[in-house]
């Protein structure tokens, strides 16, 4: 009996440690909160010194100066000397789709096949991911969960990062379909011949034609009796009727131009360029067609030998000055883990010419507009979700961005993660 008792106790301890390892989603807001004294960065380019922000039932109810003679609601928090920001948004991310790259069973980022518009990333999203949990201490509170692979990768959705399941997490379901645009050039054997990297892709036009035929067949299917049922064609209908956006992953000048022409020819209403390394070369075309860009990771080396060494750092500034709507993404090597550094990418843009508050908009209101969620998030405005955080310093500077509090839809979320636990553990290592 004693052995059984000890086994039960050991199991209980193990179970409790597992539960503690993952933060429980915060409870729904029940009491109003007023935060006063902080510098409020609204996300739309405006700043309010000595601000007053109030929210109740998950929605912002007041944004203004703390000097105004207005009754404070509920709990009053003094945030003098600190800063308030809207929650940051990470677009084009695979957060929650892969936990450990080396463990195939935890990888649900892509599917077999080339044309997969019907594949929905949302139903594979893991709300209990420790990688997702590590985003929140830097203020990254939302993301667009995006599939990878194939010519048409599938359908993305936008989620918030404190939820029990994917149904709770969803902010916008099936917001758009993602296409990997063909490259005009083949990679070649670059380790044998450097010039072979720039050889023309002889199948380029054929690959575009295959896309055009696929979309034409989808339209014909929509006008038929839809028997037998074809799920991929049904998924494309949203792009055709304008209810979904078409996210085209493309970097080169020629590819961007051809993608825009393709969208016109197929009568696709809403197009977003993802990556856009050479978008500055066609900025007028982008502006004329009202096409936004989710710009590739800022902390990258130049792609071409004759590019300015700092082109990736200043590219956002060039496009913004040209009148293009720009957001920042962090796709690249280890992008899931590095998505927490999103605010510091915006900080680099500010260091290379872009106004600081416009740089903030790259990861708040601009991205919200591009994803079609700006009616509820992206800026500190009355009526929007109370998804925001308080930082001790400049949130775009890794030296000073230290969060005191964070709220998602008014819920007071935990800022603890596996990494913060390790920090506390090892910071005391030499004190004992």
């Amino acid at each position: 009996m004693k052995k059984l008792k000890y086994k039960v106790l050991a199991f209980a301890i193990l179970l409790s440690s597992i539960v503690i390892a993952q933060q429980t989603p915060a409870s729904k807001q029940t009491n109003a909160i007023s935060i006063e004294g902080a510098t409020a960065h609204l996300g739309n380019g405006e700043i309010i010194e000595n601000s007053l922000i109030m929210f109740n039932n998950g929605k912002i109810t007041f944004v203004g100066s703390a000097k105004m003679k207005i009754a404070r609601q509920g709990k009053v928090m003094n945030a003098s000397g600190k800063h308030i920001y809207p929650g940051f948004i990470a677009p084009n991310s695979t957060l929650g789709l892969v936990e450990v790259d080396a463990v195939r069973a935890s990888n649900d980022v892509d599917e077999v096949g080339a044309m997969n518009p019907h594949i929905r990333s949302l139903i594979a999203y893991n709300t209990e991911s420790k990688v997702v949990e590590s985003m929140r201490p830097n203020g990254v509170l939302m993301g667009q969960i995006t599939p990878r692979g194939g010519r048409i990768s599938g359908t993305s959705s936008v989620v918030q990062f404190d939820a029990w399941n994917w149904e709770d997490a969803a902010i916008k379901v099936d917001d758009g379909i993602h296409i990997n645009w063909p490259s005009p050039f083949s990679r070649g054997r670059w380790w044998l011949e450097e010039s072979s990297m720039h050889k023309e892709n002889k199948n380029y036009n054929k690959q575009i034609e295959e896309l055009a035929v696929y979309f034409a067949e989808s339209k014909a299917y929509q006008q038929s009796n839809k028997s037998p049922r074809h799920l991929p064609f049904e998924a494309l209908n949203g792009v055709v009727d304008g209810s979904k956006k078409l996210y085209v992953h493309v970097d080169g000048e020629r590819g961007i131009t051809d993608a825009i022409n393709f969208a016109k020819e197929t009568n696709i209403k809403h197009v977003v360029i993802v990556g856009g390394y050479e978008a500055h070369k066609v900025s007028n075309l982008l502006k004329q067609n009202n096409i936004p860009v989710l710009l590739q990771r800022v902390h990258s080396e130049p792609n071409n030998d004759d590019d300015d060494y700092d082109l990736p750092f200043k590219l956002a500034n060039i496009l913004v000055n040209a009148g293009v709507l720009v957001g920042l993404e962090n796709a690249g090597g280890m992008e899931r883990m590095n998505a927490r550094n999103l605010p510091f990418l915006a900080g680099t843009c500010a260091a290379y010419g872009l106004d600081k508050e416009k740089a903030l908009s790259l990861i708040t209101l601009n991205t919200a507009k591009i994803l079609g969620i700006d009616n509820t998030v992206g800026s500190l405005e009355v009526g929007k979700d109370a998804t925001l955080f308080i930082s001790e310093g400049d949130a775009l500077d890794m030296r000073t961005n230290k969060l005191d509090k964070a709220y998602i839809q008014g819920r007071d979320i935990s800022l603890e993660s596996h990494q913060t636990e390790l920090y506390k553990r090892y910071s005391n290592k030499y004190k004992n």
Side-chain angles (χ1 to χ4, degrees), residues 11 44 55 70 123 131 137 175 186 213 218 222 244 247 255 273 321 348 385 413:
F11 178 76
N44 59 3
F55 53 95
I70 183 173
I123 59 174
V131 183
D175 69 294
S186 59
V213 170
S218 172
Q222 303 302 334
K244 295 180 183 178
Y247 294 89
I273 299 299
N321 289 336
T348 297
D385 288 354
I413 68 170

Side-chain angles (χ1 to χ4, degrees), residues 122-278:
L122 181 61
I123 59 174
Y125 175 68
N126 177 20
T127 57
E128 297 187 358
S129 167
K130 286 190 176 182
V131 183
V132 171
E133 188 179 79
S134 69
M135 301 298 112
R136 302 186 310 219
N138 274 1
V140 181
L141 306 182
M142 296 163 284
Q144 180 196 40
I145 310 306
T146 306
R148 297 285 191 259
R151 180 64 66 210
I152 304 179
S153 301
T155 302
S156 60
S157 291
V158 186
V159 302
Q160 50 86 5
F161 292 154
D162 185 64
W164 287 101
N165 48 51
W166 62 262
E167 292 95 339
D168 293 339
I171 293 177
K172 186 168 186 179
V173 175
D174 299 338
D175 69 294
I177 290 175
H178 295 253
I179 286 183
N180 296 304
W181 192 257
S183 173
F185 303 100
S186 59
R187 293 184 180 274
R189 299 180 180 180
W190 58 268
W191 60 90
L192 295 177
E193 183 182 356
E194 184 177 353
S195 62
S196 66
M197 292 181 65
H198 304 287
K199 286 183 178 179
E200 185 176 357
N201 176 10
K202 296 180 180 179
N203 295 320
Y204 178 65
N205 291 330
K206 179 182 177 182
Q207 290 166 345
I208 295 177
E209 181 63 24
E210 288 173 352
L211 276 174
V213 170
Y214 197 79
F215 273 79
E217 290 176 346
S218 172
K219 288 182 179 179
Y221 171 81
Q222 303 302 334
Q223 298 169 0
S224 70
N225 60 7
K226 300 181 181 180
S227 180
R229 191 176 183 188
H230 196 289
L231 293 178
F233 286 166
E234 288 186 12
L236 277 179
N237 186 50
V239 170
V240 175
D241 67 19
S243 60
K244 295 180 183 178
K245 296 188 177 184
L246 182 67
Y247 294 89
V248 183
H249 296 242
V250 57
D251 282 318
E253 175 184 4
R254 179 180 173 185
I256 295 172
T257 302
D258 289 344
I260 293 173
N261 291 333
F262 172 84
K264 289 181 178 179
E265 292 169 2
T266 51
N267 197 30
I268 296 173
K269 300 178 177 61
H270 304 297
V271 177
V272 178
I273 299 299
V274 182
Y277 179 80
E278 293 186 344

